[in-house]
Amino acid sequence: MWFSENWKDYELLDTSDGERLERWGNYILIRPDPQIIWKGVATHPAWKHADAIYRRSNSGGGGWVKNKLPESWKINYGDLSFILRPMGFKHTGLFPEQAANWDWFSDLIQRANRPIKVLNLFAYTGGATVAAAKAGAAVVHVDASKGIVAQAKENAALSGLSAAPIRYIVDDCKKFAEREIRRGNTYDGIIMDPPSYGRGPNGEVWKLEDSIDELLTLTSRLLSNRPLFFLINSYTTGLSPLTMHYLLSMKLQKRFGGNVESGELGLRVTSTGGFLPCGASTRWYFNET
């Protein structure tokens, strides 16, 4: 399991009965999590003092049943800064477990001792973009949501990266990749965090488990002649770390050599010292030093 011990502004305080008790900066949130199947083990006193609670609806969806949060606030991870905003679907605009990946590829970029160009697809609010740019990479950030890309720009500015070589693209990630191939553009590092499920502009259904092979084949064509890393995250239950490991071994290791590793991402639970699983990542990389 991969996890970061470097968070100071985020803490997973406790877990019980399908819910997380979290501290985001100075605010306490309770949010649902389907991985939390254990019941009746809540012990942390902050359960009684949450600033915001998100609850699922029996008819689908859900909402904030209690919300004393500001419209937005800032938290830090080392020298990275992020704006948080409570969203309609329980999210805050950041996935703290991804810090383990930020640390990993930042180290690769810094030790490469050469210019590194990174493509971040399904880039959301730019946690990975900010981390890669802070490490010294030039980054192309692609997401289909204009509002989310605007928040990514805010995060970069907060982290002192307003003038960094970051290019922001509002576009369908697959279509953008296809155009980049036609243009002959390549990247030394690729980061992907594709959704498990979605609908296209014409109502077509997109499922990651049905599309992942095609997506990896497509994006692997964007790797440079001297690639450094390829990272893909999955929150899809049917795509285990070993499944993704096998795919990257066939698509990348067979072609380029290098290393493939896969594992679960996790967050340490303060009240128990255990770890909550939070999705999976698979990493292909060259260790250049």
Side-chain angles (χ1 to χ4, degrees):
M1 178 173 280
W2 294 319
F3 60 95
S4 172
E5 296 280 28
N6 298 322
W7 273 110
K8 293 181 173 60
D9 283 358
Y10 175 83
E11 187 178 6
L12 182 54
L13 300 170
D14 204 359
T15 60
S16 186
D17 299 273
E19 294 182 321
R20 299 182 181 194
L21 177 71
E22 306 168 294
R23 178 180 63 82
W24 295 81
N26 295 324
Y27 299 101
I28 304 298
L29 280 65
I30 296 174
R31 298 189 300 153
D33 190 314
Q35 296 277 15
I36 302 171
I37 60 174
W38 43 94
K39 300 179 180 181
V41 294
T43 59
H44 201 286
W47 286 104
K48 299 178 181 178
H49 307 290
D51 297 292
I53 300 173
Y54 188 100
R55 289 274 157 78
R56 293 285 190 200
S57 168
N58 292 332
S59 58
W64 296 96
V65 298
K66 177 183 179 181
N67 190 350
K68 296 181 180 179
L69 301 172
E71 182 179 337
S72 65
W73 70 100
K74 184 182 84 166
I75 66 170
N76 301 311
Y77 180 75
D79 56 358
L80 309 180
S81 297
F82 304 100
I83 284 285
L84 299 182
R85 289 190 176 94
M87 300 181 182
F89 185 66
K90 81 172 183 177
H91 292 163
T92 62
L94 197 67
F95 294 93
E97 65 273 11
Q98 288 295 331
N101 282 327
W102 305 340
D103 293 341
W104 170 74
F105 64 67
S106 293
D107 181 61
L108 286 176
I109 291 167
Q110 290 168 345
R111 289 192 291 108
N113 197 30
R114 61 183 173 93
I116 298 296
K117 185 178 178 183
V118 171
L119 174 62
N120 188 10
L121 295 172
F122 310 95
Y124 195 49
T125 58
T129 293
V130 169
K134 201 72 167 182
V139 184
V140 175
H141 173 111
V142 187
D143 196 277
S145 169
K146 184 177 181 180
I148 289 296
V149 171
Q151 189 165 334
K153 291 181 181 179
E154 285 186 81
N155 287 334
L158 278 175
S159 297
L161 296 167
S162 295
I166 304 173
R167 181 183 172 206
Y168 299 94
I169 307 292
V170 179
D171 201 352
D172 176 88
C173 290
K174 182 173 179 287
K175 292 179 180 177
F176 176 80
E178 290 169 341
R179 285 196 296 274
E180 287 290 88
I181 291 170
R182 292 195 295 270
R183 289 187 282 248
N185 289 333
T186 60
Y187 298 86
D188 307 298
I190 295 178
I191 301 165
M192 289 202 301
D193 199 351
S196 298
Y197 176 89
R199 289 189 178 274
N202 299 316
E204 61 271 27
V205 175
W206 190 88
K207 291 183 180 180
L208 182 58
E209 58 264 43
D210 297 334
S211 307
I212 187 62
D213 184 82
E214 178 188 8
L215 187 60
L216 285 175
T217 299
L218 179 70
T219 51
S220 67
R221 294 173 62 189
L222 288 170
L223 287 170
S224 69
N225 291 329
R226 193 182 173 189
L228 183 63
F229 71 89
F230 192 111
L231 167 67
I232 183 164
N233 298 301
S234 171
Y235 292 88
T236 304
T237 305
L239 292 177
S240 70
L242 285 179
T243 299
M244 298 305 300
H245 189 287
Y246 194 84
L247 273 171
L248 261 66
S249 296
M250 290 192 298
K251 302 288 184 184
L252 301 180
Q253 192 175 34
K254 188 175 181 179
R255 175 181 169 192
F256 294 106
N259 308 279
V260 178
E261 58 186 19
S262 57
E264 286 190 287
L265 296 171
L267 293 169
R268 187 185 292 277
V269 183
T270 300
S271 63
T272 64
F275 292 92
L276 177 69
C278 301
S281 291
T282 303
R283 305 163 171 177
W284 170 88
Y285 64 99
F286 270 105
N287 194 335
E288 296 194 343
T289 58

